[in-house]
Amino acid sequence: ATGRPHLTTKQHTRTDLPRYTEFRYQTGRMSGVPRPAAAAMDAAVNGSVAATVKVLAAQPAACTPASKPCGAVVITLRQPRCLPSLVCVAQQNWNLPPGANDSEAWMTTFAFDARTGRRLALDDVVPAARQQAAADAARASLQAQLKADGMNPSDWSAPILPSSLKAWLPEPDGVHVWFAKYAVAPGVMGIVETVIPWSAVGGRPSLG
C-alpha cells in the first residue's frame, strides 16, 4: 500500500552483555510506499543498525571495578521531513565504551527515492562541482554557531571538505548535515547539526 511514507520503530534490548548498564537499539519498518521500495529501505536501515550493533557489542569490556557494568549503547531511528518524492531516515548512535571516560555520538543518514527505495548519494542532491561550496557553507554556519554559543571559533577552524559531509539529508530548507561529537566542535555540543541553504549549492534539485 502507498500513501504517506511512515516509519514505525521497534525497540530492542540486549541483556546478554554484562558490562553494559544498557544496550538498546531500534529497528524500523517503512509503510506508505510501494512494497519493493519499503523492502529496500528496511533492508538498508536495519542492515546498518545490525552492523552497528555487532561492532559495538564486540567492544572490549574492561570495567573498573570489574563487577560494575559501565558501558552503554543507545541507537534510535527517526524520520525527518524530506524533500517531496524522497523518504529520509536518521539513525542516531550513542556509545559509552566499557571503561571509557567519555561517550561517542554520531549520525547515519538515509535519503531514499520514495518510489524505488534507491538510496541517494550526495551527488544526486548536490552536484560534484558545488560540493566544496556546500562544505564551505557548512563551515561558515558552524563557525557562527560556535560564536553564538560563546565559544572561540578559531579553536575549531580546520577546513571542512566534501568528504566530511557523510551524514546529510535534503530537507525543505536546505541540506542538513550532522557531524560526530568532537569532529567540529567541543564535546559538550554533542552531535552538531547545521543547514546548508539550497542557495549555496545552486538551488533545490529536481528529483521527479
Side-chain angles (χ1 to χ4, degrees):
T2 60
R4 184 184 294 273
H6 177 69
L7 177 71
T8 301
T9 59
K10 182 178 180 181
Q11 188 78 32
H12 307 266
T13 303
R14 291 281 298 266
T15 57
D16 59 325
L17 302 167
R19 293 294 180 258
Y20 288 83
T21 57
E22 65 176 336
F23 195 115
R24 55 187 173 88
Y25 61 96
Q26 291 181 330
T27 54
R29 184 175 65 82
M30 190 62 65
S31 58
V33 296
R35 191 169 294 175
M41 294 178 197
D42 294 349
V45 172
N46 295 331
S48 171
V49 170
T52 307
V53 166
K54 182 177 180 180
V55 168
L56 298 184
Q59 294 178 115
C63 296
T64 306
S67 59
K68 248 186 204 179
C70 61
V73 167
V74 179
I75 301 171
T76 57
L77 298 174
R78 64 184 179 89
Q79 183 185 355
R81 190 179 175 200
C82 216
L83 287 183
S85 81
L86 301 183
V87 177
C88 288
V89 177
Q91 172 189 333
Q92 181 167 317
N93 311 283
W94 182 83
N95 172 43
L96 178 63
N101 292 322
D102 199 2
S103 63
E104 306 167 341
W106 68 98
M107 296 289 284
T108 308
T109 55
F110 307 83
F112 297 110
D113 183 306
R115 295 165 300 180
T116 66
R118 180 180 74 89
R119 186 178 180 182
L120 274 66
L122 185 61
D123 288 359
D124 294 315
V125 176
V126 178
R130 301 303 296 262
Q131 288 179 15
Q132 186 57 58
D136 292 342
R139 181 179 182 277
S141 176
L142 287 164
Q143 292 279 294
Q145 195 173 333
L146 286 165
K147 189 173 181 180
D149 288 346
M151 299 175 193
N152 185 356
S154 64
D155 291 340
W156 299 87
S157 58
I160 292 175
L161 305 174
S163 59
S164 306
L165 308 179
K166 294 183 175 70
W168 56 271
L169 288 175
E171 301 192 34
D173 58 342
V175 182
H176 287 236
V177 181
W178 291 266
F179 296 94
K181 183 178 180 181
Y182 290 114
V184 295
V188 68
M189 294 180 68
I191 296 171
V192 177
E193 178 182 1
T194 193
V195 182
I196 301 168
W198 287 117
S199 59
V201 295
R204 281 169 55 154
S206 176
L207 298 166

